[in-house]
Amino acid sequence: MSTQPLNTWIQIPQNSDFSIYNIPFGVYSDDTVKHHVCSAIGDYIIDLFELERAGLLQVNREVFDKKYLNNFIKLGKSKTKEIRLKIQSILCDEKSVLKTDLVFQKKVLKKQSAVTMLMPVKIGDYTDFYSSVDHATNVGKMFRDPENALLPNWKHLPVGYHGRASSIQVSGHSFHRPKGQQKPADSEKPVFGPTKLLDFELETAFIIGKSTQMGESISTQKADEYIFGMVLFNDWSARDIQTWEYVPLGPFLAKNFASTLSPWVVTLDALEPFRTKGYEQIPQLLPYLQYSGNKNIDIKLEVLIKPENATETKVCESNYKYMYYTMEQQLAHHTINGCNVNVGDLMASGTISGPESREFGSMLELTWRGSKPLKLNDGSERKFINDGDTVILRGYCQTNNGIRVGFGECSSTVNPAKNNN
Ligand code: CA
C-alpha cells in the first residue's frame, strides 16, 4: 500500500481496528451527550462537536449535533474528506491543543467502553444484493440443481431486491425469534410457529453519499463519488419461512424481522489502499456493467457465535474480495433504469462466502442445510442459531507491515419468540 506513514501521539493498542489510517464516522451518546457525531482512534471516540467548538474543524458545527450522520454526509465528499484529513493531522500534531490541554482532551476523547454507539445513519431505502458467486452457487446446489447451480441471469447482472429499513438496528441489540408460516416436507399444509432455522448472513453494506434525481444513472466509473463508506451487516434470515414464501416474488417476512449494522462507517478513502482484483467476469457483461482497475477490497471477515454464558467460537472466515460484483457495478445496475438514490440509503452485498467450506457466510452453507452441525467451544452443537446466542461479525483490512483499518463489531442476540399469539 502506498499510504504515507502517519505517527499519532495517541497510544493505540496493537491490532486495533481504529488506527490513524482509519478515522471512521459514527454517532454516540453518554450521560452528558444526547447525540454527537464522532470518529474513533484506538480505544477512544473523538467527539467532533467538541472538536469543532474549539474551532479545529472549520465546518458548521450543527452537523455534528445530530442524531444521524446524514447531514454530515450531505456536506459532500470533498468536505468530509477534508475533515477526515484534518482529524488525522490533529492526532499527529504533537503541539495540538488536543494533546496539550488535558481538560479539553477529556471532553473530546472518551473511552469507547464508556459510551453507547447509536445508529449511524437514517436509512431511507435498503437494497440487498446477492453478489457472491460462491454463496449463490452453494444455495443453487442445495435447493435446485447441483450441476446448474446458478440461474441463467446470475452472471449477467447483480441480482437484488428491495428490503425494509424499519427493522435495521445498530450492533448490540437483541430481537425476538420470528414466527411465521413454514411448510414441512412431510406435510401437505403449512404450519405456524417460531422459525426453527434462524440464520445469520455475513454481509457488508455501503451507504450512499450523494443523492441523484429520478432518471439519472450512475456509471461504474463515477460510482465511488456516490458511496460514502461501508459497514458490516448481518442480514438475519429465517430459512424455513423463506423456502415457503419466496416464490415467485422473492424474500419477504423471512428477512424483514431484523438486520444488524455495525456503528462505524469506514470511508471509501480509508479502504482505497486495500483495493484488489476480483473474480474474472465471464461471460463479458453489457457495457454499462463493465469497469476497469482493481475494484474489489481485501476485507477479512469473521463470524463468531457466543451462546448465553459461554465463550465465543469462530465459525467462519471469509473475505469481501470474493464478491463477484463490485459495489460500483451494483450501484450502476441499481440506477441504470433511472431509479434515484438518496444520502443514507443502504445497499447490502448479499451473503459473502468464499470457495472453501470454512469461508461460507451463513449457517445454511456452513452446516449444509443442517446436515453437518458445527461444534462450539462449550461442547454444544449448532445447525442454526439458538435462543440466547449472540452472533458477532468482525471485519478488517491489514497490510503485511501491520497497518490496519477495521470495522469493529456487528453483534446481536436472539431472544425467544414473543408469546403474544
Ligand atoms: Ca441477504
Side-chain angles (χ1 to χ4, degrees), residues 202-392:
L202 169 61
E203 303 196 17
T204 62
F206 62 92
I207 288 160
I208 293 295
K210 186 176 168 184
S211 304
T212 59
Q213 300 292 319
M214 271 178 75
E216 245 184 278
S217 300
I218 301 170
S219 66
T220 56
Q221 293 82 359
K222 289 250 166 89
D224 288 349
E225 293 172 25
Y226 293 82
I227 300 171
F228 176 71
M230 291 178 75
V231 292
L232 301 175
F233 191 67
N234 182 351
D235 187 30
W236 285 98
S237 300
R239 299 301 180 196
D240 38 8
I241 297 172
Q242 184 176 0
T243 317
W244 172 233
E245 77 171 1
Y246 88 103
V247 193
L249 283 188
F252 187 33
L253 304 182
K255 300 280 184 176
N256 67 6
F257 56 91
S259 302
T260 313
L261 194 72
S262 60
W264 294 106
V265 185
V266 177
T267 64
L268 267 202
D269 289 332
L271 295 167
E272 210 55 53
F274 304 95
R275 293 274 193 184
T276 187
K277 213 171 132 61
Y279 278 118
E280 217 175 330
Q281 296 180 322
I282 299 170
Q284 196 181 47
L285 292 156
L286 286 168
Y288 82 92
L289 284 172
Q290 291 173 14
Y291 70 98
S292 57
N294 288 344
K295 284 294 177 191
N296 238 299
I297 309 179
D298 183 357
I299 308 173
K300 295 162 180 58
L301 300 168
E302 302 175 351
V303 183
L304 303 99
I305 299 177
K306 186 186 172 305
E308 213 173 351
N309 306 318
T311 55
E312 57 194 37
T313 304
K314 193 191 290 183
V315 296
C316 159
E317 280 180 329
S318 186
N319 195 306
Y320 183 73
K321 71 181 178 192
Y322 294 134
M323 290 284 288
Y324 189 83
Y325 291 105
T326 67
M327 292 183 279
E328 292 77 9
Q329 289 179 308
Q330 291 172 333
L331 194 49
H333 185 63
H334 203 303
T335 59
I336 194 61
N337 64 348
C339 169
N340 52 328
V341 294
N342 289 303
V343 165
D345 286 357
L346 187 86
M347 313 254 167
S349 57
T351 307
I352 305 167
S353 295
E356 304 295 328
S357 56
R358 199 176 156 67
E359 297 171 323
F360 295 171
S362 64
M363 291 300 274
L364 178 72
E365 296 163 270
L366 286 165
T367 70
W368 210 254
R369 252 179 135 171
S371 66
K372 295 185 232 170
L374 295 180
K375 195 129 196 154
L376 303 188
N377 289 342
D378 66 353
S380 63
E381 284 191 344
R382 289 292 180 283
K383 292 176 178 170
F384 286 89
I385 300 302
N386 287 2
D387 289 348
D389 285 353
T390 298
V391 173
I392 303 159

